[in-house]
Structures are given as structure tokens and as C-alpha cells.
Amino acid sequence: MRGLGPGLTARRLLPLRFTPRPPGPRLASGQATGALERAMDELLRRAVPPTPAYELREKTPAPAEGQCADFVSFYGGLAETAERAELLGRLARGFGVDHGQVAEQSAGVLQLRQQQREAAVLLQAEDRLRYALVPRYRGLFHHISKLDGGVRFLVQLRADLLEAQALKLVEGPDVREMNGVLKGMLSEWFSSGFLNLERVTWHSPCEVLQKISEAEAVHPVKNWMDMKRRVGPYRRCYFFSHCSTPGEPLVVLHVALTGDISSNIQAIVKECPPSEMEEKNRIAAAIFYSISLTQQGLQGVELGTFLIKRVVKELQREFPHLGVFSSLSPIPGFTKWLLGLLNSQVKDHGRNELFTDSECKEISEITGGPANETLKLLLSSSEWVQSETLVRALQTPLMRLCAWYLYGEKHRGYALNPVANFHLQNGAVLWRVNWMADVSLKGITGSCGLMANYRYFLEETGPNSTSYLSSKNIKASEQVLSLVAQFQKNSKL
């Protein structure tokens, strides 16, 4: 979830602190593997509580604390990713929902509806069905959460599960279902009521400053002076911690207090403030320029949205006159998307559907070759920005292509770009596309130097969010819509 969006992809720089995993056996082949698998099966048989009969659901005692602790200890001793993936796969496949019970209870509910039985009888049958739909491993997770450090352990366990899925070490609907169950439980435990908003200043504990520095996933912190600027005058830094882990950042938001809506990130992260003492009359806008999730296991849990809302309220208390709230966001994936288009057109015998004839001619004159082919090579690196002539020639076509990428490229009807999707879900307006807004190596290679502003009109965020989520309508400014119209006129995709 990297960038101002959720995705909010986490960096695993702040690992949860449970017992480190010592070197352990690998899942290779032969006798050792068989012994480890048998140990896993025996562990799960003891650790995962059986589902009590419906009538005994409130009378059955919880499993002994030691059984859950045994699972945590065994899991912590697995040194290899493949071993942890194997255990999680066995847990998902063997200790989920009893499908026979679900079918039986479903048939009972259907029969009662057809008989038009009284409401109390039908409601109890539906409650039995809900009970049957709860997977067995949920009970294990629930009891582990009660252990000291148990919630931290489960966050790390989900991080391992996501990693194993990404590496295709575990796959299938059972694994996806377990990930969804665990995500739902974490969403409850990490809801806004359990989160503490904390501000970071230069006088914060060194440990916190170090964690914030290491967690910065969007615009890396280079040194202590750089960190000092980011928490100094005309800057704000906030993070959420959980009530069970005070002082431990879960998601971090950096804000710049400026005179207008910023269009260049270097002006924020590199330039010194106008003065050491803040002058409130110089502050007219709050720019959210970086948000980073620090725990991969909380990916998909709605933390970034809550953090922005809480920070807005905090800034309004500090600056009652402040009325402009906007992001300055990266556009991850734009270069990759554009290179994909160029590559397909190069393969299709030089077909051109991206640029006008005059643009192709100008690009060819500058590069000395066919526009699509030469741009495919040039945009794969950052060297093209060294040519001022080429930068000027590409501004118009890349601006309209980027606007279309943000506004028109969709995934299941929603914005394809994860950062755009995050802000649009929050109710922001796609406000402005900025040329040469990030000239760092990461900015040039990831998004051709382009960045976007997503503006938050506080009175409109609710309706905008509802419209986007329900009808998939993207609210955009005149600048963006004009660029989209240019794309539709000049490109033939």
C-alpha cells in the first residue's frame, strides 16, 4: 500500500517483537520433512479448538492458554518461509468451515421459510447457520489475541501469509478465505476507537524519530537534518499507534503547511522553511505528501483514511482559518503502463495511437529514430530528462496520457492506479496533474516525473465518496477533464 494511498504497501522495517525464529529445518524432502509435517498436524490437532455443539457454545470452556502458546512458540521456531507457508496452508485447508454442517443448517432455514414458521424459530435456525459458517481457526486466532503480545503476533502472521501468497507457496480458496477472516478480525481490533493519534516533533524520543525515518516509504529520509526539516516549522508529522502498543507507529502521515497547493515535491522535502518561526498568515493550505503503512500484516485495514480525517481535525483546531486540504501524490505504475502501450505499438509494425503526427515528427527529430521505439528505450531510464528539448516536447502528450491513466484506466470500474483509488474512495477530487513534479530517480522512473493533487473539499467528501463507491463516478477538476478530452481527441486507444 507505497505512496499516498493504500494501497499503502508496508515496509517491514518495524517488525513485531516476539521471540526471534532460530534456524530450523527446511521443507526439503525425506525423513526430516515427514517428521516436520507430522509435528505440524499434531500441533494443529491440539491447538485448534473443536467447534462445540450449538447448544454448548456458551458453556464449553476456552482451551488452555498453553495450547495457544504452543502454537505461537512452534510457529516462531519455523525459520523458513516455506515452512510457515506449509503450516498456514494446513491450518486453512484442515480447520475451516464444516461444509456438511453448513449444508444441513442451510436446508433447515430454507425448509422453515417454506413452511412460514414463526419468526423466533426462523431466527434461531439462521443463528445456527451463522454459527456453522465460522471456521475453526477463527477460534485459535481469537484465543491467541488474548495472550500477551498476541495481537502483534497475528499481525506478523498475516504478513507471512500475504508473503506466502505472493510467492505462490500457498494458494487456493481456503487460503484466501483465511486471509479474509484474519483481515476482518484485525480491522475490528484496529478500528479508530483503539487508535491513538500522536504528533512527532524534533523533541520526540530518538527511538520514535528513528522509526519514522525508517518507515518513510514514499520520499526516503536521507539523514538527521532531513528528518529535522520534516518535523520542523511549516511541517507536521503524525502517526497512529494502537492502545496495546503505545508509541509504535502503525501508519505515518507527513504534512506540509504552505501558501498554496504545492506542485513540486522537492520544494517540500529539500528546501528549508522560510523561517524558523511559523507565521500563521503564511499558511493557507495543508498538503499531505506522504503516508506509509509500517506493518504489512495490516494491509487493507482502513488506517490511512482514519488518519487523514483525524489529522484534518487536528489541523483545524491548531489553524481555525485553514480551509485548503490537498495531497501531493506519486503516480506509481504510470511509466510501466505507458511502456506497455509503447511496446505493443512497436510490435504492431510501428502503429501510432498515442501521439499526434506533429508530436511524432518532433520527437523523431530530437531522438533520431521512430517516436515509439526511441521513447520505449528512453523512458526505461531517467536519462531523457537531461534533454530540455525532449522534456518540452513530451510535456503535452505525457500530461494528457497521465490524466487518462488516472481518470480513464479502470479495474472493476474503479481507478486502476491504487493511489488515485485511495483518495477517490476518501471523497477527494482529482484536482491537478503536475509536470516535472518529482525529478528524483524514483519519480522519473516510476511516473515520468509526474505527480497529482487530490483535493479534499470537506463538505463534499461524503457525497463524493458515496458517488465513487456506488456509481464509480470520478470527480475531477476542469484541468484534468480538459487533459482527458485532449487524450480522447488525439489518441486512438
Side-chain angles (χ1 to χ4, degrees):
M1 165 240 2
R2 296 176 185 175
L4 194 46
L8 297 175
T9 304
R11 298 175 70 184
R12 297 183 63 177
L13 293 171
L14 302 176
L16 296 169
R17 297 169 185 167
F18 55 91
T19 305
R21 301 183 180 101
R26 297 171 180 266
L27 272 183
S29 60
Q31 190 173 4
T33 299
L36 180 58
E37 291 176 346
R38 286 192 296 273
M40 289 181 179
D41 290 338
E42 176 61 21
L43 169 77
L44 294 175
R45 185 187 64 78
R46 288 186 291 104
V48 184
T51 302
Y54 177 80
E55 290 76 14
L56 301 176
R57 64 194 183 283
E58 296 177 356
K59 300 176 182 178
T60 303
E65 186 175 291
Q67 293 176 229
C68 298
D70 286 346
F71 179 90
V72 172
S73 177
F74 186 96
Y75 187 88
L78 297 174
E80 301 298 323
T81 301
E83 293 169 352
R84 299 193 295 273
E86 177 67 20
L87 179 60
L88 293 174
R90 287 169 180 265
L91 179 61
R93 291 188 297 269
F95 298 86
V97 169
D98 184 335
H99 299 297
Q101 274 292 313
V102 171
E104 182 180 331
Q105 299 301 330
S106 298
V109 171
L110 182 60
Q111 185 178 23
L112 290 172
R113 283 184 58 84
Q114 292 171 342
Q115 295 173 354
Q116 296 184 344
R117 298 291 297 273
E118 60 185 53
V121 177
L122 181 59
L123 288 172
Q124 186 180 53
E126 290 173 345
D127 193 50
R128 285 177 177 270
L129 175 58
R130 277 193 296 272
Y131 185 70
L133 285 167
V134 177
R136 283 181 62 184
Y137 50 70
R138 195 184 193 284
L140 173 65
F141 297 154
H142 175 71
H143 294 300
I144 287 176
S145 73
K146 298 179 180 180
L147 299 177
D148 185 24
V151 174
R152 287 184 177 188
F153 171 81
L154 291 171
V155 172
Q156 184 62 62
L157 184 142
R158 182 165 182 256
D160 292 341
L161 180 60
L162 291 171
E163 181 183 17
Q165 287 181 288
L167 296 173
K168 298 190 182 303
L169 296 174
V170 286
E171 298 181 272
D174 294 321
V175 173
R176 291 193 296 272
E177 175 69 13
M178 188 170 77
N179 176 49
V181 169
L182 191 50
K183 175 188 170 183
M185 297 177 78
L186 291 171
S187 295
E188 292 180 7
W189 296 330
F190 287 85
S191 62
S192 59
F194 299 108
L195 300 174
N196 303 313
L197 181 67
E198 302 187 38
R199 179 182 167 189
V200 183
T201 71
W202 188 239
H203 302 292
S204 296
C206 288
E207 183 183 12
V208 172
L209 289 169
Q210 180 69 30
K211 288 177 179 179
I212 297 297
S213 174
E214 292 174 346
E216 176 50 45
V218 188
H219 309 291
V221 178
K222 295 182 178 180
N223 49 45
W224 280 108
M225 288 305 297
D226 190 6
M227 188 68 212
K228 186 175 182 180
R229 280 196 297 271
R230 299 194 193 194
V231 297
Y234 297 97
R235 300 292 181 267
R236 294 292 185 272
C237 178
Y238 300 92
F239 68 86
F240 267 152
S241 65
H242 192 258
C243 59
S244 66
T245 55
E248 186 80 25
L250 301 175
V251 58
V252 183
L253 177 65
H254 288 269
V255 186
L257 303 175
T258 63
D260 54 17
I261 298 179
S262 303
S263 61
N264 183 280
I265 191 60
Q266 275 71 42
I268 290 177
V269 299
K270 287 189 174 181
E271 294 182 8
C272 293
S275 66
E276 286 297 317
M277 295 295 295
E278 288 181 352
E279 299 176 36
K280 289 192 174 183
N281 61 348
R282 301 181 69 137
I283 298 172
I287 309 300
F288 313 126
Y289 68 91
S290 172
I291 187 166
S292 300
L293 186 66
T294 69
Q295 301 295 342
Q296 179 70 20
L298 295 176
Q299 183 179 334
V301 177
E302 197 173 11
L303 296 177
T305 298
F306 291 146
L307 181 56
I308 287 177
K309 290 179 179 178
R310 290 275 292 275
V311 167
V312 166
K313 292 180 179 178
E314 189 70 18
L315 292 173
Q316 286 182 315
R317 280 194 288 268
E318 186 177 3
F319 304 100
H321 68 285
L322 192 60
V324 177
F325 298 91
S326 174
S327 79
L328 179 59
S329 300
I331 311 174
F334 172 64
T335 301
K336 182 179 180 181
W337 173 80
L338 180 56
L339 289 174
L341 293 180
L342 290 170
N343 186 53
S344 65
Q345 301 206 351
V346 167
K347 289 182 178 179
D348 195 6
H349 308 292
R351 178 168 57 97
N352 171 52
E353 293 184 344
L354 300 179
F355 309 104
T356 64
D357 292 342
S358 61
E359 288 168 348
C360 282
K361 180 180 179 182
E362 184 179 9
I363 294 169
S364 297
E365 289 174 352
I366 296 170
T367 61
N372 287 345
E373 293 184 23
T374 54
L375 283 181
K376 179 188 169 185
L377 295 174
L378 288 169
L379 296 180
S380 298
S381 71
S382 61
E383 296 180 2
W384 63 275
V385 296
Q386 298 175 12
S387 169
E388 294 183 7
T389 307
L390 184 58
V391 169
R392 285 196 299 271
L394 290 178
Q395 179 174 355
T396 297
L398 291 193
M399 284 279 283
R400 69 169 183 262
L401 284 163
C402 186
W404 176 257
Y405 170 69
L406 295 173
Y407 183 86
E409 289 294 315
K410 304 293 179 65
H411 174 66
R412 296 177 180 175
Y414 299 106
L416 173 67
N417 182 266
V419 178
N421 187 52
F422 171 77
H423 288 293
L424 293 169
Q425 284 188 55
N426 291 345
V429 174
L430 177 52
W431 182 252
R432 188 170 65 195
V433 178
N434 302 296
W435 179 243
M436 288 294 108
D438 184 0
V439 294
S440 68
L441 178 62
K442 183 178 179 181
I444 296 299
T445 56
S447 57
C448 298
L450 289 149
M451 298 188 80
N453 296 118
Y454 299 90
R455 188 166 176 184
Y456 285 79
F457 295 93
L458 302 184
E459 302 82 6
E460 301 175 12
T461 53
N464 289 348
S465 176
T466 300
S467 178
Y468 179 68
L469 293 172
S470 61
S471 304
K472 302 174 182 176
N473 294 325
I474 293 179
K475 189 74 174 292
S477 69
E478 291 184 6
Q479 186 241 24
V480 173
L481 293 177
S482 175
L483 290 170
V484 168
Q486 292 175 36
F487 170 87
Q488 293 171 325
K489 176 181 178 182
N490 296 308
S491 300
K492 309 176 185 65
L493 294 181

